Amino acid sequence: MSTATENPAGTTDGEPGAQALHLRVLDALGEAIVSGELAPGRRLTLDDLQQRYNISRTLARDTMRVLESMNLVYSRRRVGIVVQDPELWNVFDPKLVRWRLASSRRAEQYSSLTELRIAVEPIAAAGAARRAGAAERRQLTALAAELRRLGEAGELEAFLKADIAFHSLLLHSSGNEMFKALDGMVAEVLSSRTQQGLMPFKPRPEALEAHEAVAAAVAAGDAGTAETAMHHILDEVRTAMGLP
Amino acid sequence: MSTATENPAGTTDGEPGAQALHLRVLDALGEAIVSGELAPGRRLTLDDLQQRYNISRTLARDTMRVLESMNLVYSRRRVGIVVQDPELWNVFDPKLVRWRLASSRRAEQYSSLTELRIAVEPIAAAGAARRAGAAERRQLTALAAELRRLGEAGELEAFLKADIAFHSLLLHSSGNEMFKALDGMVAEVLSSRTQQGLMPFKPRPEALEAHEAVAAAVAAGDAGTAETAMHHILDEVRTAMGLP
DNA sequence: AAATGACAAAGGTATGACCTATGTTACATA
DNA sequence: TATGTAACATAGGTCATACCTTTGTCATTT
């Protein structure tokens, strides 16, 4: 086995420009850890990785370093690479969230994310009411109107898209860089609700009103009202998901 | 320059077991990017890194991979390593937070974190009221009592330590893994308040009462009250920091 | 039983080579 | 002149190998 001629990393090798090798290995290993296939405390060596994925030491090290930087593993001389306790993982890393959503533990990840939404989005709405730019306020109002139109027409797919745009824009208008960084995760949660049939055929009128209320409050610069209205939206979500 | 004999990475070489080389390089580069010394769009090459820090290509690549996984840079063939726009950074990565707190932009990082606390901690308190274990409830109550004692005695350092323990335990009792992961950042914010003299000589009585109220509500399993009481604590913080 | 020292395993680091994608430039063509 | 195209050089991607350093482990000694 001089060079990696034998289809490294178990790729099906179908599409040409698939992905960089190190990313595929990273994803594979990350998913293995997150799924519990490689349990906490499990010890690996660079040699294991090289053989398991048929890669060079360079790539094994690259992958390990990234995993280490996410606190999924740590490495010690003479010991090897050890899978960390989940308590220590950087659970805000988008890669990790993605892996968990793809695993059998997806339900837990969703409820964590939903609770995070419940916490953050009202404050983000208040922040937007204080700090959003004029264009953002206009766009938010427009999106709320579009949500009503699409919702009443029962166009669920388009509704989802607009809903994601609404919540994402709100986070971006909040003026808090950490809130902005949550937009991908919120989009993920919203998509999944629709895909898993957790959405009613038509959005409830209360939800439509609440979105309009948020947009109006943000447009008016009324932080308190924006926060409360966003709370109403999330109460909808909470009950829809059967949370307390 | 055959091997790295000339004091690589600019270490002062004083303490023997300082740190792994790759971590020092990572910190140095991360801080350089975060501080703006390496502005977004700035292009580097692996060769640059090797020379700048007097390291081998192996380490330059390791460092780059980690930075890439944090979205601080991206790398493209024939182009090099490009510093990303701050909008795209993984701002929840603890390393990044640490670098920013050490930079001249620390104030922005603090206000982002504080707003995040304002959002998360009340919901975490509510979660704790629902899901905390018996031992956690007892310990929270004990910590609230200790906070009163230390606060009234004016022992600021011990108070800070207990305060951190209180908020950290609350996050850990919330039953939400993502909230748990914020404990280090909350501790950081709390420490800084005291160090920067933003704390009154003695904690305000209202703050002490609010901590006791949170503990009592969690102990009683009263989620709504716990959430509200935590809001009061954070209102204190908000006004102390001069936020709206 | 405890301290000590030899040994070996595994990551840490350094080099050098070759592969491959891709920006750039120059040239040829319409 | 504008445009498509082919050659070229650059810089990361990947691999292989070698040596250093730390640190578990185990046998030896006291």
Side-chain angles (χ1 to χ4, degrees), chain A residues 1-6 54:
Chain A
M1 175 183 324
S2 55
T3 54
T5 49
E6 287 136 307
N54 192 20

Side-chain angles (χ1 to χ4, degrees), chain A residues 189-205:
Chain A
V189 173
L190 291 173
S191 301
S192 148
R193 273 182 75 206
T194 300
Q195 282 161 16
Q196 306 216 324
L198 287 172
M199 278 285 283
F201 295 112
K202 288 192 178 185
R204 295 186 55 198

Side-chain angles (χ1 to χ4, degrees), chain B residues 137-199:
Chain B
R137 295 174 202 265
R138 268 199 306 277
Q139 208 177 338
L140 221 41
T141 307
L143 277 171
E146 197 180 340
L147 278 175
R148 171 166 296 279
R149 188 173 57 77
L150 294 170
E152 289 178 345
E155 300 192 34
L156 275 192
E157 280 181 40
F159 180 86
L160 170 63
K161 205 175 153 193
D163 198 21
I164 290 175
F166 181 91
H167 288 273
S168 179
L169 176 57
L170 193 102
L171 290 171
H172 277 264
S173 309
S174 71
N176 185 323
E177 65 211 344
M178 300 190 88
F179 292 172
K180 287 185 201 176
L182 297 173
D183 66 346
M185 303 186 194
V186 169
E188 195 64 47
V189 173
L190 291 174
S191 301
S192 147
R193 273 182 75 207
T194 300
Q195 282 162 15
Q196 306 217 322
L198 287 172
M199 278 284 285

Side-chain angles (χ1 to χ4, degrees), chain A residues 84-191:
Chain A
Q84 286 265 33
D85 191 279
E87 296 267 321
L88 299 172
W89 296 352
N90 284 177
V91 290
F92 280 92
D93 191 303
K95 291 182 291 299
L96 185 42
V97 171
R98 184 159 43 83
W99 294 332
R100 300 185 78 175
L101 287 176
S103 80
S104 61
R105 304 256 170 79
R106 67 180 329 191
E108 298 168 42
Q109 181 66 78
Y110 272 118
S111 59
S112 294
L113 282 175
T114 300
E115 199 172 40
L116 182 65
R117 283 189 65 200
I118 291 170
V120 166
E121 291 204 62
I123 306 299
R130 291 194 193 92
R131 304 187 284 255
E136 289 168 331
R137 295 175 202 265
R138 268 199 306 278
Q139 208 176 339
L140 222 40
T141 307
L143 277 171
E146 197 181 339
L147 278 175
R148 170 166 298 278
R149 188 173 58 77
L150 294 169
E152 289 179 345
E155 299 191 34
L156 276 192
E157 280 180 40
F159 181 85
L160 169 64
K161 205 175 153 195
D163 198 21
I164 290 175
F166 181 91
H167 289 272
S168 178
L169 176 58
L170 193 102
L171 290 170
H172 277 265
S173 309
S174 71
N176 184 322
E177 65 211 342
M178 301 190 88
F179 293 172
K180 286 185 202 176
L182 297 173
D183 66 344
M185 304 186 194
V186 168
E188 196 64 48
V189 173
L190 291 173
S191 301

Side-chain angles (χ1 to χ4, degrees), chain A residues 9 15 19 48 53 57 76 84 141 146 158 171 181 203 207 209:
Chain A
E15 313 84 67
Q19 253 200 341
D48 290 342
Y53 297 105
R57 184 179 166 103
R76 288 235 312 272
Q84 286 265 33
T141 307
E146 197 181 339
L171 290 170
E209 278 160 31

Side-chain angles (χ1 to χ4, degrees), chain B residues 54-74:
Chain B
N54 192 20
I55 54 178
S56 69
R57 184 179 166 102
T58 306
L59 283 198
R61 285 180 41 68
D62 277 4
T63 308
M64 190 273 289
R65 276 271 181 275
V66 173
L67 255 20
E68 189 182 39
S69 111
M70 300 168 72
N71 252 301
L72 256 67
V73 304
Y74 66 87

Side-chain angles (χ1 to χ4, degrees), chain B residues 118-137:
Chain B
I118 291 170
V120 166
E121 291 204 64
I123 307 298
R130 291 194 193 94
R131 304 188 283 255
E136 289 168 331
R137 295 174 202 265

